[in-house]
């Protein structure tokens, strides 16, 4: 959940699909299905943020182009309100083919992050107890009422497109569907315009997302929802199909399926990771929040040794240098380069000399990510983590092929060069 990296495109598609699915659930008996569903969503938001001791939220999204998966995302969020603790486990494949796996844990005193791409556990310890780390009720936000009015207006008078099952235990199953001709023209026009922008904004040649340029419209929407006897929304599934053509006139049908479930109410266990035997980078946040104190102290040069194993021994063949030349609240920039002993110059690679500019994460002000292009036009992604605790910098480079050829032992930890 890493919902990491979750991107604007992912959010846009998910919200759009679930909104249209909600529109499909338009009428139930004497009270409209839309109102029934809205009541269940509001009650669920209230109970999860104020009443339930613990619960689990699972989210999944799959996007297909003509039946072939081009993106998927899975996220599990576990909440323990009594301990004010939460756990996030996410994985997926982006529209660029990048696979990701991310885990995090947080409570009032600690945050722990870990991913398969980086074997280091990043720990932030807070000297001042933080506010509740579980969910807040979005319907109590200032703009909630205005957003609700907009959604109400979009739904309009859609009726008679739903099947309702009242179960013997008091729960309800809702299901409905809309075809192109049943979707209001205004909703379809707005959705088509927005989707066209999303399909054409990546700007990268390796994107699996088709560039739809004409005849873009929402072809079909389906929705199902399960509400338990207490009025809590246990699951909602939205499926949308978007049709359109690319510049070559090829027809594409993009299907988007988003599922959210709420389970294990008052029985979810949130477990703090056991870091015994793990490689750990610890930072102490001396003030509330996760920001670097006096970031200018990281300006300057950092280094570590380049080592290989040769004839049964570790041999130093050069040094890595990381020069940080600019840093502020938004970004960190600098120069990474490798210096080899003359007899080991052949170990240099396309990533041996890079200039980078990395943007800090919104919620993790010590972690920044970057993407650059080498002279050979290869895409290089990486990250930099500034440890306020031990004064060291972790610098990682990720490429399609290993950037550390011929047995080089890569060390991502750089110490200040104070000589």
């Amino acid at each position: 959940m890493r919902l990491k990296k979750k991107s604007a495109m992912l959010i846009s598609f998910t919200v759009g699909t679930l909104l249209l699915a909600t529109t499909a659930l338009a009428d139930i008996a004497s009270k409209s299905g839309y109102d029934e569903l809205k009541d269940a969503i509001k009650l669920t938001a209230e109970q999860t943020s104020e009443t339930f001791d613990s619960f689990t939220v699972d989210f999944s999204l799959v996007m297909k182009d003509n039946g072939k998966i081009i993106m998927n995302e899975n996220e599990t969020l576990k909440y323990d309100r009594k301990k004010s603790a939460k756990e996030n486990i996410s994985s997926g494949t982006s529209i660029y083919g990048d696979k990701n796996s991310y885990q995090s844990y947080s409570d009032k005193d600690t945050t722990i992050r870990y991913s398969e791409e980086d074997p280091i556990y990043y720990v932030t310890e807070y000297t001042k107890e933080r506010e509740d780390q579980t969910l807040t009720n979005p319907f109590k936000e200032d703009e909630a009422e205005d957003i609700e009015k907009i959604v109400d207006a979009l739904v309009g008078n859609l009726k008679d497109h739903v099947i309702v099952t009242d179960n013997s235990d008091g729960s309800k199953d809702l299901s409905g569907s809309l075809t192109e001709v049943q979707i209001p023209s205004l909703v379809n026009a707005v959705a088509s315009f927005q989707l066209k922008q999303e399909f054409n904004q990546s700007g990268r040649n390796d994107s699996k997302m088709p560039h739809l340029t004409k005849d873009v419209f929402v072809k079909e929407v389906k929705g199902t929802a399960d509400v338990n006897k207490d009025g809590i929304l246990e699951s909602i599934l939205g499926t949308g199909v978007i049709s359109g053509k690319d510049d070559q006139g090829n027809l594409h049908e993009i299907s988007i399926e988003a599922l959210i479930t709420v389970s294990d109410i008052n029985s979810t266990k949130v477990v703090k990771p056991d870091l015994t035997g793990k490689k750990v980078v610890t930072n102490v946040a001396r003030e509330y929040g996760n920001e670097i104190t006096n970031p200018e102290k990281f300006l300057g040069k950092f280094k570590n040794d380049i080592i290989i194993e040769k004839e049964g021994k570790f041999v130093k063949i050069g040094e890595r240098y990381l020069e940080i030349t600019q840093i502020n609240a938004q970004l960190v920039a600098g120069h990474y380069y490798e210096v080899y002993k003359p007899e080991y110059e052949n170990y240099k690679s396309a990533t041996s000399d890079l200039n980078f500019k990395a943007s800090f994460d919104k919620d993790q002000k010590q972690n920044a990510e970057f993407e650059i292009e080498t002279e050979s036009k290869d895409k290089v992604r990486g990250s930099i983590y500034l440890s306020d605790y031990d004064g060291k910098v972790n610098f990682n480079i990720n490429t399609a092929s290993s950037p550390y050829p011929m047995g080089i032992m890569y060390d991502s930890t750089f110490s200040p060069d104070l000589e």
Side-chain angles (χ1 to χ4, degrees), residues 80-243:
D80 187 328
R81 291 185 60 254
K82 281 191 171 181
K83 296 180 180 179
S84 188
K86 66 178 179 180
E87 183 180 354
N88 181 354
I89 303 172
S90 68
S91 63
T93 303
S94 75
I95 58 173
Y96 307 110
D98 301 323
K99 293 184 177 180
N100 62 79
S101 178
Y102 173 87
Q103 298 181 40
S104 69
Y105 166 89
S106 66
D107 55 32
K108 290 184 177 181
D109 304 311
T110 309
T111 296
I112 301 173
R113 298 181 296 109
Y114 170 76
S115 69
E116 288 187 356
E117 291 81 12
D118 184 355
I120 300 173
Y121 285 77
Y122 295 98
V123 179
T124 301
E125 298 175 348
Y126 300 92
T127 56
K128 181 179 179 180
E129 193 173 86
R130 300 185 296 165
E131 296 178 0
D132 190 353
Q133 294 302 295
T134 53
L135 283 178
T136 57
N137 189 345
F139 291 98
K140 290 188 175 181
E141 299 294 331
D142 294 338
E143 65 274 13
E145 185 176 347
D146 292 333
I147 294 175
E148 184 176 342
K149 289 179 180 178
I150 294 172
V151 175
D152 288 344
L154 288 173
V155 171
N157 295 318
L158 287 171
K159 303 286 183 181
D160 305 323
H161 300 293
V162 69
I163 298 173
V164 182
T165 302
D166 292 308
N167 300 316
S168 59
D169 62 355
S171 64
K172 292 182 178 181
D173 299 329
L174 292 70
S175 63
S177 63
L178 294 173
T179 62
E180 173 196 355
V181 296
Q182 295 167 319
I183 298 172
S185 57
L186 176 60
V187 173
N188 209 331
V190 173
S192 299
F193 174 79
Q194 179 64 28
L195 291 168
K196 187 183 293 186
Q197 305 307 309
E198 297 289 356
F199 281 125
N200 296 297
Q201 73 172 3
S202 71
R204 285 176 50 181
N205 294 329
D206 57 345
S207 172
K208 296 181 181 179
M209 183 77 74
H211 287 239
L212 303 185
T213 57
K214 53 188 175 181
D215 300 334
V216 180
F217 65 94
V218 180
K219 183 177 181 180
E220 182 184 34
V221 176
K222 296 179 180 179
T224 62
D226 297 322
V227 180
N228 69 17
K229 63 180 181 179
D230 298 317
I232 300 299
L233 183 69
E234 292 186 335
S235 70
I236 180 169
L237 170 66
T239 303
V241 178
I242 297 97
S243 179

